[in-house]
Amino acid sequence: MVIILKPSKHIALSYKLLFLRVVIKAVRYLFAEKEKSITFVQLLKIMKSQKIALTNCRICESGSARVISDVGIVIEGSRIVGVVPLANIPQDIQCVDMGGGIVAPGFIDILANGAGGGAFGVSANFGDLILMAETMMAEGTTGFLAAAPSNTLPMYLQIQGELQSHYSELPANFLGMHLEGPYFSMEHRGAHRADCVRDCTDEELQALLDKERHFVSLMSVDPERISNSQVERLEEKGVRIAFAHSAASYDEALHFLAKPHRSVTHLYNGMPQMHHRKPGHIPAIFRCKPLTGIIVDGVHVCYEMVRMAYDIMHEAHRHSLYLFTDRFTDWPAMGISYDAEHDYYVRATSDGENIICGSALSMIKAVRNCVERVGIPMGTALEMASLVPAEVLGIDHLYGKLEGGYMANLVAFDEDWQVKRVMFEGEWVR
């Protein structure tokens, strides 16, 4: 392994010892990260990655309502070292008092239509992505996918072009795009535009995927509007596939969801309901228990139905349900506005009807609803908002746990569910 040092031209003699320490730490870093070169400024940054311990905090036991308070979370640089008893924290580590708040892994929202006045995916304006990212980071969402609902191919290409143009400026918590559509059932399209819903073509996939960076992390599809070979091509390009807005039969859904790494976008919504002669795909979902999203706002799905899904799909060793917001923001250009009476967003149609098109949730509010309205243990609800969506994206080896080696993306909130502090990769951002 070759180490290339690039110090600045003027290094005072008094810094020789410091420089040696930096080099030693850099060697360890390079072996860990498999880097081939590093600048002096980067070396200084590594040297500064001293350990800290978050104390006077509470953490939730995995899958439980039990809260643990006699521990500290040790962090070095961008990673968690571990959760240790307070008595085992070394005296020379800087301790940060968390004021008795609950500390949990940062939230991951894999379907956000808009936030903070921005709706990137509905628009192709990079400024909208910044608004979404800043708003959600302040709420403890340290990772998110911007959703692009069913639209034209030129619009998708424009979104990709905007991301490529601003590649070096992408928000730190932006994990890519979620193309929610356009390959959906016309009958079960919900608020998606009828003039955009269509069958998939090889030519369209080629235009979306055959580029250096396509930025598509997740795609929701109806298996009746896209072929198996087309789905496999998406998966080969690193796109995770989710089942949504479909009229597929029980057997068709069971077959589609049996493949590894496939998930369900939103349980109950955009799908035919159960019938004793034509069961549809809800029983198929309950049988094979793929990772399945659910909108816990009491509007998209009533809390009793959330509880039923939880009772059926929850297993002691694995959580199948995950939380996402499906949040929107006011967007007059598309006739989208907030309905204060019902606490959700609606889109005005040409015939004067208002149809629900998004929630007013944040991730912390979804967790709270799970705990207080559904009766899900807090430890489980927090994993549904972090670890399980990370698993959908295949990044659960880095995000969603307070364990050694995981990224130090954290949210701290009080007993009133108010977010107080947010850490991203070991640095406080709130």
Side-chain angles (χ1 to χ4, degrees):
M1 181 177 292
V2 178
I3 303 173
I4 303 174
L5 297 179
K6 301 177 182 177
S8 59
K9 294 180 180 179
H10 307 289
I11 302 177
L13 292 177
S14 60
Y15 283 88
K16 284 185 177 179
L17 183 58
L18 172 64
F19 188 74
L20 269 176
R21 290 175 60 199
V22 170
V23 171
I24 292 169
K25 199 155 191 177
V27 171
R28 294 174 182 165
Y29 174 83
L30 290 169
F31 275 100
E33 302 294 332
K34 299 180 181 178
E35 294 286 347
K36 293 183 179 179
S37 66
I38 197 164
T39 66
F40 181 64
V41 172
Q42 289 172 322
L43 291 180
L44 287 175
K45 187 174 182 180
I46 295 167
M47 190 277 298
K48 291 178 182 177
S49 62
Q50 60 193 36
K51 289 182 180 179
I52 64 170
L54 309 185
T55 58
N56 189 20
C57 62
R58 295 172 292 156
I59 65 172
C60 291
E61 189 174 67
S62 175
S64 166
R66 181 169 174 252
V67 177
I68 305 168
S69 59
D70 57 349
V71 295
I73 304 169
V74 179
I75 295 165
E76 182 174 17
S78 62
R79 305 269 180 156
I80 296 170
V81 175
V83 176
V84 300
L86 291 174
N88 293 352
I89 297 176
Q91 295 291 326
D92 59 346
I93 288 185
Q94 176 190 355
C95 292
V96 179
D97 190 322
M98 298 302 293
I102 293 173
V103 177
F107 305 130
I108 298 177
D109 187 355
I110 63 176
L111 201 169
N113 300 292
F120 187 80
V122 176
S123 85
N125 183 345
F126 185 71
D128 287 323
L129 182 63
I130 298 298
L131 288 173
M132 291 177 68
E134 291 176 348
T135 299
M136 297 171 76
M137 184 76 89
E139 298 170 348
T141 299
T142 54
F144 77 99
L145 298 183
S150 299
N151 215 314
T152 63
L153 176 60
M155 181 61 178
Y156 291 142
L157 298 179
Q158 189 178 347
I159 289 168
Q160 290 177 316
E162 187 79 349
L163 292 172
Q164 183 60 47
S165 297
H166 295 275
Y167 182 69
S168 63
E169 309 164 60
L170 292 178
N173 57 340
F174 173 65
L175 299 176
M177 298 300 300
H178 179 166
L179 296 194
E180 194 193 2
Y183 315 129
F184 284 161
S185 160
M186 182 65 71
E187 180 184 1
H188 296 285
R189 71 183 187 279
H192 289 259
R193 288 169 49 188
D195 61 330
C196 291
V197 169
R198 57 191 180 273
D199 290 324
C200 181
T201 66
D202 292 338
E203 293 74 20
E204 186 161 56
L205 277 193
Q206 181 175 354
L208 284 170
L209 299 177
D210 286 357
K211 41 179 57 74
E212 182 182 1
R213 302 182 184 95
H214 57 69
F215 300 102
V216 183
S217 298
L218 181 65
M219 190 168 193
S220 293
V221 302
D222 170 7
E224 295 189 307
R225 306 299 299 262
I226 185 170
S227 70
N228 289 332
S229 62
Q230 289 168 338
V231 169
E232 289 169 0
R233 184 177 180 191
L234 283 161
E235 291 174 328
E236 288 169 1
K237 287 287 188 176
V239 180
R240 292 293 175 116
I241 299 297
F243 180 102
H245 292 279
S246 174
S249 69
Y250 174 88
D251 290 330
E252 289 168 334
L254 204 62
H255 175 76
F256 185 82
L257 294 171
K259 300 295 177 67
H261 310 307
R262 293 185 186 174
S263 60
V264 175
T265 301
H266 35 52
L267 183 61
Y268 302 125
N269 301 122
M271 55 182 67
Q273 300 309 297
M274 292 184 287
H275 187 275
H276 61 286
R277 291 194 181 94
K278 300 175 74 173
H281 43 264
I282 294 176
I285 293 167
F286 287 161
R287 178 178 173 182
C288 62
K289 297 180 174 62
L291 301 178
T292 300
I294 195 162
I295 309 169
V296 188
D297 62 352
V299 179
H300 283 78
V301 182
C302 74
Y303 297 122
E304 291 78 10
M305 294 298 284
V306 176
R307 182 70 210 194
M308 183 181 80
Y310 174 78
D311 288 342
I312 292 171
M313 299 188 67
H314 176 71
E315 297 174 333
H317 64 285
R318 182 176 183 268
H319 308 313
S320 294
L321 287 180
Y322 70 85
L323 302 177
F324 69 98
T325 62
D326 194 39
R327 67 191 296 171
F328 229 120
T329 192
D330 285 321
W331 204 255
M334 286 186 63
I336 295 170
S337 61
Y338 176 62
D339 183 330
E341 180 181 353
H342 299 101
D343 194 30
Y344 56 66
Y345 284 87
V346 296
R347 180 169 69 84
T349 63
S350 57
D351 57 6
E353 181 186 1
N354 284 338
I355 56 175
I356 185 170
C357 67
S359 83
L361 281 175
S362 62
M363 289 297 283
I364 188 69
K365 188 175 179 181
V367 172
R368 179 177 186 173
N369 288 342
C370 282
V371 175
E372 295 186 347
R373 305 299 296 272
V374 184
I376 296 175
M378 187 186 294
T380 300
L382 288 169
E383 290 182 340
M384 290 167 64
S386 55
L387 180 62
V388 189
E391 188 178 351
V392 173
L393 299 179
I395 54 176
D396 51 307
H397 61 296
L398 290 174
Y399 303 97
K401 289 186 179 181
L402 300 179
E403 290 185 3
Y406 276 71
M407 300 303 295
N409 289 1
L410 308 173
V411 56
F413 56 95
D414 62 19
E415 292 183 352
D416 295 322
W417 302 92
Q418 298 301 307
V419 172
K420 296 299 183 182
R421 302 203 72 178
V422 179
M423 174 179 280
F424 183 84
E425 295 187 359
E427 296 186 6
W428 295 112
V429 293
R430 174 175 176 176

